[in-house]
Amino acid sequence: MTKEKYFILDFDSTFTQVEALDELAAISLQGAAGKEQVLAQIKALTDSAMEGNSSFSESLTKRLALLQANKKHLQTLIGNLQQRVSDSIRRNKTFLSEHAAHIYIVSSGFKEFIVPIVTEYGLKEDHVYANTFRFDVQGNIVGFDTDNVLSQDKGKIKLLDALDLQGDVYVLGDGYTDYEIKEAGLADKFYAFTENVTREKVVAKAEHVAPSLDDFLYQNKLPMAISYPKNRIRVLLLENVHPKAHELFSKEGYQVEVLTGALSEEELCERIKNVSVLGIRSKTQVTARVLEEANRLIAIGAFCIGTNQVALTACLQAGVAVFNAPFSNTRSVVELALGEIIMLARNIFDKSHKMHQGIWDKSAQGSMEVRDKKLGIVGYGNIGAQLSVLAEAMGMQVYYYDVVEKLQLGNARKCASLRQLLETVDVVTLHVDGRPENENMFGPAEFAAMKAGALFLNLSRGHVVDIAALVAALKTGKLAGAAVDVYPYEPAHNQEPFLSELRRLPNVILTPHIGGSTTEAQENIAHFVPNRIIEYINTGNTYQSVNFPNLQLPELRNAHRLIHIHANVPGVLANINNVLAGNQINILGQYLKTNEQVGYVITDIDKAYDKQVIDLMRQVPHTIKFRVLY
């Protein structure tokens, strides 16, 4: 015969994110002299009692004396607490209401503010065990009911002993008094609840830790509001990704680890184990070998424009979605390009260097305006197109070349070939992607085709330019100057020296891959990429993924969503639907998108279904990955 399960929940810092008496003090002492010192005293008394370092009864007496609170303050407190219910408690309201007969709130707090909060979540008032205030005739709080066992030391033990619950008893709380219930043998399991506060002494004693109610329910195979506890999703961020990304992932409830530098393949193979989300910039290489070690990887975020550092096909075959930030640093790169064009045209870099050496070289020789000069843009994507608009606004004549047909903006002129562009313009700037076939696309023949005295910029990818050919063109005077931001090999960190033949050449501006390194760009990227990944994890939406079939999905309402990634071969969708039909499952909506290699099927179904369906879906031939959202 299956035993009944009973759940004992603490209130302060468990059901709610805060300690209610601390909050009440902040309300009652509003405007009082020495408020901060009194609040600090109350908090210290609370923490000491919760950690088991002092008598609870004495702590409660002292705190109430410091409060100077009145009955009229309680309504404000209740309003505040309603907004501070723990996120995972709020998410799992259905579980609480459906299991209310077996859930007890056992708190050292006070019924006057606990009952209005927990009954909103379907819990029973007569299952709330807590203290009660004593008031004087003016409504001032002057004490508490000392006959209530919960006002006494070991009060929770005495209460549970009196309740005499016949079944398995699970205690969920953040304080030492919650642990004491298990220590006294009155609970089968105690879970240290750490969603809001971590009390080291309590965690050290606990056999189990619950970072959220989701995790507690997951550990005990109980129904929960979400498919998987968010605190179990591990995120690894490398290469000084902007702190905003850490903030967004942490706010979502994920575990986040940050490393400042890039990792080698060997290091990443070791670090990637049990990681669900990987965030990188341009230096970390995600190879097929790395993916073989990635036992839990769901998504990769490239916090930059390019993704040539990621083995996209291998990611696809492993069912790992990749997202980048194709627009977020566009303006920053364009502004740098414009600035460098002007600096090169005026030979500012060399003149500034001479000034720092004490040399006054006032001369107009070799100095030009950019107005009316011809700018040639190779690669007319997001950056090239925006550069085209701004350059034209400065009076430049814009020409462009792209292997893909693009709509020209403003008065930009399309060139039929790269050679035509090179022979026509005064300034050439590269804005191409990093695909392998673009390696050394600019070499001796391309520099030879350019006008004598032309200027050259590469702010795209280091390997697209033959550096030896560029150096030769500069040394012979074929080029009057160059600006380079990217290199075939770049130092892995700031302590490694930069070695290049381009160093010390006249009128050559060298920058350390900072085209997109502005505060605005990095913050934009740190917003964009995490939001795409979080949406993918939460809804299955693959819109703007680099490698997955792009699906924009409707909001999931009153249904469960089955996400199925499979090899793009005939018959998989039919097999999926046969499984569902064979288990009498009603399909509320279904969405399919494929590319050359994989199929991506989203199926929304009724909430009620036999759990064996999940195993059957995973066994569908050619399945790469399968997960459930609800």
Side-chain angles (χ1 to χ4, degrees):
M1 182 176 174
T2 304
K3 283 186 179 180
E4 295 282 3
K5 288 185 171 66
Y6 295 95
F7 307 99
I8 310 300
L9 270 64
D10 184 32
F11 182 77
D12 295 291
S13 295
T14 297
F15 202 97
T16 59
Q17 299 168 348
V18 293
E19 293 288 326
L21 288 187
D22 293 359
E23 290 291 298
L24 181 56
I27 296 165
S28 64
L29 296 170
Q30 188 68 38
K35 172 188 171 184
E36 296 305 321
Q37 290 85 343
V38 177
L39 290 177
Q41 280 182 268
I42 292 171
K43 186 178 186 309
L45 288 165
T46 299
D47 290 342
S48 179
M50 290 302 99
E51 290 169 2
N53 296 327
S54 62
S55 162
F56 174 77
S57 181
E58 288 180 19
S59 166
L60 188 57
T61 301
K62 290 176 182 177
R63 282 184 283 164
L64 291 186
L66 289 166
L67 278 175
Q68 302 176 35
N70 186 280
K71 186 179 289 187
K72 66 184 180 185
H73 296 129
L74 293 178
Q75 204 54 46
T76 303
L77 173 64
I78 290 167
N80 289 355
L81 293 178
Q82 286 170 332
Q83 305 304 313
R84 302 299 300 278
V85 172
S86 298
D87 291 338
S88 65
I89 296 284
R90 196 185 300 277
R91 267 196 300 275
N92 289 284
K93 184 175 181 178
T94 299
F95 171 82
L96 297 174
S97 60
E98 289 181 355
H99 293 77
H102 292 82
I103 297 175
Y104 293 81
I105 300 293
V106 177
S107 171
S108 302
F110 290 81
K111 277 191 174 185
E112 286 84 351
F113 54 75
I114 293 175
V115 169
I117 305 300
V118 302
T119 51
E120 285 189 353
Y121 287 78
L123 299 185
K124 298 175 177 293
E125 183 174 349
D126 61 357
H127 279 202
V128 176
Y129 292 88
N131 287 296
T132 53
F133 288 120
R134 285 196 301 109
F135 303 93
D136 64 15
V137 292
Q138 285 80 36
N140 296 312
I141 295 174
V142 294
F144 52 88
D145 177 9
T146 54
D147 292 332
N148 188 326
V149 295
L150 289 170
S151 71
Q152 304 163 16
D153 291 334
K154 309 289 185 183
K156 291 187 177 182
I157 294 173
K158 296 171 185 175
L159 176 72
L160 264 292
D161 191 37
L163 284 176
D164 191 25
L165 299 173
Q166 297 300 307
D168 292 330
V169 177
Y170 300 82
V171 176
L172 190 66
D174 65 282
Y176 196 80
T177 56
D178 304 305
Y179 162 71
E180 287 179 325
I181 300 171
K182 170 69 167 65
E183 186 182 42
L186 294 167
D188 296 275
K189 291 182 181 180
F190 165 68
Y191 288 79
F193 188 76
T194 59
E195 181 171 333
N196 305 309
V197 62
T198 300
R199 305 189 193 280
E200 297 299 339
K201 185 173 179 180
V202 179
V203 171
K205 290 279 189 180
E207 293 179 20
H208 309 279
V209 175
S212 64
L213 181 58
D214 306 305
D215 201 273
F216 170 79
L217 299 174
Y218 181 80
Q219 289 184 52
N220 289 285
K221 297 182 171 57
L222 294 165
M224 56 184 184
I226 56 177
S227 316
Y228 190 72
K230 294 186 177 185
N231 58 276
R232 290 179 175 241
I233 295 176
R234 290 187 56 209
V235 179
L236 176 61
L237 299 177
L238 307 179
E239 301 185 65
N240 276 325
V241 167
H242 191 280
K244 190 68 183 179
H246 185 303
E247 180 186 326
L248 289 172
F249 283 129
S250 296
K251 187 177 178 181
E252 189 66 15
Y254 304 161
Q255 293 182 55
V256 185
E257 181 183 4
V258 176
L259 298 176
T260 56
L263 293 179
S264 67
E265 183 182 58
E266 195 69 39
E267 292 169 325
L268 189 54
C269 282
E270 185 59 37
R271 288 277 193 167
I272 201 69
K273 290 179 176 66
N274 298 320
V275 168
S276 300
V277 176
L278 175 65
I280 61 172
R281 292 176 74 184
S282 57
K283 290 188 175 65
T284 300
Q285 302 293 312
V286 183
T287 63
R289 183 183 165 214
V290 169
L291 292 165
E292 287 173 6
E293 302 297 327
N295 56 329
R296 290 192 178 175
L297 197 61
I298 299 172
I300 295 172
F303 286 73
C304 50
I305 293 177
T307 54
N308 56 296
Q309 73 277 39
V310 180
L312 294 177
T313 301
C315 284
L316 193 60
Q317 292 167 346
V320 176
V322 180
F323 297 87
N324 68 340
F327 318 111
S328 299
N329 65 1
T330 298
R331 179 70 183 205
S332 297
V333 177
V334 167
E335 287 188 5
L336 181 63
L338 283 173
E340 290 185 331
I341 289 168
I342 295 170
M343 296 276 280
L344 291 171
R346 299 292 296 274
N347 204 11
I348 297 295
F349 184 74
D350 285 354
K351 290 186 185 296
S352 176
H353 184 64
K354 287 180 179 179
M355 290 290 285
H356 280 285
Q357 293 177 316
I359 301 170
W360 184 268
D361 180 18
K362 186 172 189 250
S363 168
Q365 185 176 357
S367 183
M368 307 174 294
E369 290 183 353
V370 298
R371 181 174 53 173
D372 289 331
K373 300 300 182 293
K374 294 181 176 68
L375 172 65
I377 300 172
V378 181
Y380 204 67
N382 299 320
I383 292 172
Q386 188 168 146
L387 175 60
S388 167
V389 172
L390 295 185
E392 187 175 315
M394 290 200 312
M396 299 189 80
Q397 299 175 43
V398 178
Y399 295 79
Y400 74 92
Y401 172 74
D402 200 301
V403 293
V404 177
E405 188 66 35
K406 297 287 178 69
L407 174 67
Q408 62 262 48
L409 302 179
N411 296 312
R413 300 165 177 85
K414 180 185 176 182
C415 292
S417 66
L418 177 59
R419 186 174 186 86
Q420 180 190 356
L421 179 139
L422 299 178
E423 292 174 344
T424 304
V425 302
D426 306 300
V427 182
V428 172
T429 180
L430 304 187
H431 299 286
V432 298
D433 62 35
R435 68 188 70 182
E437 49 266 43
N438 281 344
E439 184 171 0
N440 288 336
M441 66 166 285
F442 230 86
E446 287 71 30
F447 287 117
M450 290 173 64
K451 285 184 177 180
L455 302 174
F456 177 78
L457 291 85
N458 182 20
L459 283 75
S460 59
R461 294 290 178 270
H463 69 267
V464 304
V465 175
D466 180 337
I467 296 297
L470 172 58
V471 170
L474 287 163
K475 285 183 175 180
T476 61
K478 174 68 174 183
L479 297 181
V484 182
D485 186 50
V486 289
Y487 310 90
Y489 174 79
E490 298 178 2
H493 49 75
N494 288 349
Q495 287 68 49
E496 183 181 339
F498 169 66
L499 304 174
S500 175
E501 301 169 74
L502 292 166
R503 290 170 54 184
R504 300 185 183 87
L505 292 176
N507 205 23
V508 174
I509 302 172
L510 302 179
T511 49
H513 203 150
I514 57 167
S517 297
T518 62
T519 301
E520 295 86 350
Q522 293 307 305
E523 192 160 346
N524 287 341
I525 292 169
H527 271 282
F528 186 88
V529 176
N531 282 327
R532 293 283 74 73
I533 291 174
I534 290 167
E535 188 174 0
Y536 170 63
I537 291 173
N538 289 347
T539 71
N541 200 330
T542 56
Y543 180 61
Q544 293 180 311
S545 168
V546 180
N547 64 332
F548 261 46
N550 274 210
L551 265 181
Q552 282 186 284
L553 300 164
E555 185 179 350
L556 182 63
R557 291 180 181 274
N558 300 315
H560 285 175
R561 177 163 285 172
L562 310 181
I563 296 179
H564 196 278
I565 306 164
H566 59 270
N568 186 12
V569 297
V572 178
L573 182 60
N575 289 334
I576 289 171
N577 289 338
N578 286 338
V579 169
L580 299 177
N583 287 270
Q584 290 79 50
I585 292 174
N586 184 37
I587 297 176
L588 303 178
Q590 194 167 56
Y591 316 90
L592 168 66
K593 198 77 178 285
T594 62
N595 62 20
E596 293 84 356
Q597 292 181 290
V598 303
Y600 188 59
V601 179
I602 306 294
T603 309
D604 292 346
I605 64 171
D606 283 334
K607 285 187 174 183
Y609 64 90
D610 192 317
K611 300 304 179 188
Q612 72 166 349
V613 169
I614 303 304
D615 292 331
L616 293 172
M617 292 289 278
R618 289 196 172 100
Q619 292 167 24
V620 169
H622 308 292
T623 296
I624 296 172
K625 271 188 181 173
F626 173 79
R627 63 189 177 107
V628 184
L629 296 180
Y630 51 83

